[in-house]
Amino acid sequence: METENDDKIRRVRSLRTRPVRSSSESLQRVRSFKTTSKGLVNRGDSLKLNISGVHDSPGIKKKTTDKESCTKDTCQDNVEHFDTQNVVSENESCFQCYYRVLITGAEGVGKSSIIDQFMTSEFLGNASFNISQSEGERTVTLQVDGEESTLEFVQSEDFQDQDESFQIDGFVVVYCITERATFDIAIDLLKQIRDEVGSNKAIILVGNKSDLVRKRTISQEEGRSAADAYGCKYIELSAALNHRVDELLVGIHKQIKLKSDAENEELECKIPKGKERKSSFKRTKRFLEKVFLGHSGKDKKTENLYVD
Ligand code: GDP
Ligand code: MG
């Protein structure tokens, strides 16, 4: 008999290409973050008017949302930024990529709530939490340490009608720390996703509802070691309190980037180009590990979403 999870995984398997995005999206929220050795700094949200998509003026290059064709040369945005308080106008050059992330897990664990909170730096609070926001915005543009990316969040039901080519770049598997059954489902999903995508995709295990301290039934150690067993990252958060939701959002972005950098590096290594680039990649990796882990933080690696 095919279970609901089998069905979910079957649909995960059928994801290969992304649909062409509408150029009518001219105003988008950009959430800015800076990663520091002391943690994540939220630098606020702004609204970006993408005039290049509307007015095809000479000298302004079209923004590309297609990851495959996105390079520093082709991806030069000419944008105006409308800060929620101040209007800022700038002509910036950035390296923007578009990624799709699947959020999966048992019913009621808080997937929609997490996505809603990803969309804004504003605390959504209880009122918004009782309304299902599944019809709401699912795409957010991030600027992390000056590098811009757009993340689209999808849930299992979103790709029922998609063909074989709908591609997923990262996976977030959510459970509720108070319900053992949701943890069991998450582990099952982790296993199936790992089996399917191998080791070159970002996967993050999320224990939600960390605010329900007294009802906890799954310890942090249990969550962490499950993540370890499947070679993925782990974080506990509370969507209701907006606690560590930003860390997850930026962590997904970092993990996808790290995986795709490693993949590119692997490809380049297959075509020998001298040792220089390989060693500079290793140096960067060592630097990141030093900044975010310190020298003795190896055991915390599973919970550090900013390193490989
Ligand atoms: P989904 O079915 O996985 O999309 O779950 P929802 O996002 O619809 O959330 C299910 C219920 O859990 C809703 O009543 C939310 O208000 C609640 N919820 C979501 N996140 C949290 C959280 O971090 N803490 C608490 N206490 N409740 C939450
Ligand atoms: Mg939902």
Side-chain angles (χ1 to χ4, degrees):
M1 198 188 71
E2 194 178 60
T3 65
E4 197 191 330
N5 284 336
D6 289 337
D7 190 39
K8 279 178 187 167
I9 290 301
R10 187 176 49 71
R11 280 180 263 130
V12 169
R13 282 185 185 134
S14 57
L15 317 176
R16 290 292 176 262
T17 25
R18 59 201 73 224
V20 177
R21 292 185 56 76
S22 155
S23 63
S24 62
E25 286 175 10
S26 54
L27 198 63
Q28 62 187 157
R29 184 184 289 260
V30 180
R31 303 196 57 199
S32 302
F33 298 94
K34 189 171 166 47
T35 53
T36 72
S37 56
K38 288 188 181 132
L40 187 67
V41 179
N42 183 335
R43 303 182 80 183
D45 299 0
S46 55
L47 293 177
K48 184 173 100 169
L49 180 64
N50 175 23
I51 55 172
S52 59
V54 182
H55 312 290
D56 210 4
S57 325
I60 297 175
K61 290 188 182 172
K62 271 199 179 219
K63 184 175 83 176
T64 175
T65 50
D66 182 355
K67 188 175 128 190
E68 285 74 26
S69 60
C70 178
T71 66
K72 274 186 178 156
D73 291 337
T74 60
C75 184
Q76 236 181 9
D77 261 358
N78 193 329
V79 295
E80 282 183 62
H81 281 275
F82 293 88
D83 199 275
T84 34
Q85 272 132 31
N86 309 302
V87 176
V88 187
S89 183
E90 61 186 57
N91 182 350
E92 74 171 20
S93 175
C94 69
F95 181 24
Q96 189 185 40
C97 290
Y98 190 92
Y99 299 112
R100 188 178 286 128
V101 177
L102 173 71
I103 302 220
T104 187
E107 189 68 32
V109 293
K111 300 180 294 297
S112 304
S113 308
I114 292 171
I115 296 173
D116 292 343
Q117 194 59 71
F118 278 160
M119 297 301 127
T120 174
S121 289
E122 286 157 37
F123 173 50
L124 293 176
N126 278 339
S128 317
F129 261 81
N130 295 325
I131 309 160
S132 169
Q133 306 274 312
S134 56
E135 305 302 323
E137 188 57 52
R138 301 285 194 86
T139 302
V140 66
T141 298
L142 299 184
Q143 206 175 74
V144 182
D145 301 330
E147 195 174 294
E148 202 166 294
S149 298
T150 298
L151 298 184
E152 179 193 355
F153 294 95
V154 294
Q155 297 196 49
S156 309
E157 56 269 25
D158 296 329
F159 43 88
Q160 244 145 13
D161 303 326
Q162 301 293 336
D163 62 20
E164 296 265 321
S165 45
F166 188 80
Q167 189 175 308
I168 296 287
D169 302 294
F171 298 82
V172 174
V173 180
V174 188
Y175 66 92
C176 167
I177 65 152
T178 66
E179 287 181 58
R180 170 70 50 186
T182 69
F183 184 66
D184 294 342
I185 290 172
I187 301 306
D188 201 31
L189 285 165
L190 275 189
K191 184 177 179 329
Q192 294 183 59
I193 293 169
R194 255 306 165 232
D195 284 351
E196 185 55 37
V197 301
S199 59
N200 61 349
K201 289 275 182 203
I203 307 179
I204 301 177
L205 177 64
V206 175
N208 187 34
K209 310 199 187 181
S210 62
D211 54 295
L212 301 177
V213 182
R214 291 185 186 181
K215 293 185 179 167
R216 178 192 283 277
T217 53
I218 294 105
S219 69
Q220 273 183 288
E221 291 68 40
E222 212 175 335
R224 191 185 306 122
S225 57
D228 261 342
Y230 292 100
C232 54
K233 295 291 174 180
Y234 168 69
I235 186 170
E236 274 198 6
L237 53 85
S238 167
L241 298 181
N242 194 16
H243 178 64
R244 306 200 74 205
V245 178
D246 286 349
E247 279 78 358
L248 172 62
L249 179 64
V250 175
I252 296 164
H253 168 265
K254 283 271 178 195
Q255 287 302 305
I256 292 175
K257 287 273 187 195
L258 284 165
K259 292 283 178 194
S260 75
D261 286 353
E263 210 173 43
N264 290 341
E265 192 70 25
E266 228 171 76
L267 281 175
E268 284 189 19
C269 286
K270 282 182 184 157
I271 310 159
K273 264 194 184 172
K275 289 179 184 163
E276 212 175 294
R277 265 193 65 81
K278 191 177 175 186
S279 64
S280 89
F281 171 71
K282 282 190 175 162
R283 267 204 305 277
T284 313
K285 199 173 161 213
R286 268 202 302 274
F287 166 75
L288 281 170
E289 283 176 354
K290 220 162 104 183
V291 169
F292 290 107
L293 290 173
H295 289 286
S296 58
K298 274 211 153 151
D299 51 332
K300 289 189 180 156
K301 219 177 153 189
T302 309
E303 288 174 86
N304 188 334
L305 273 53
Y306 306 137
V307 298
D308 200 7

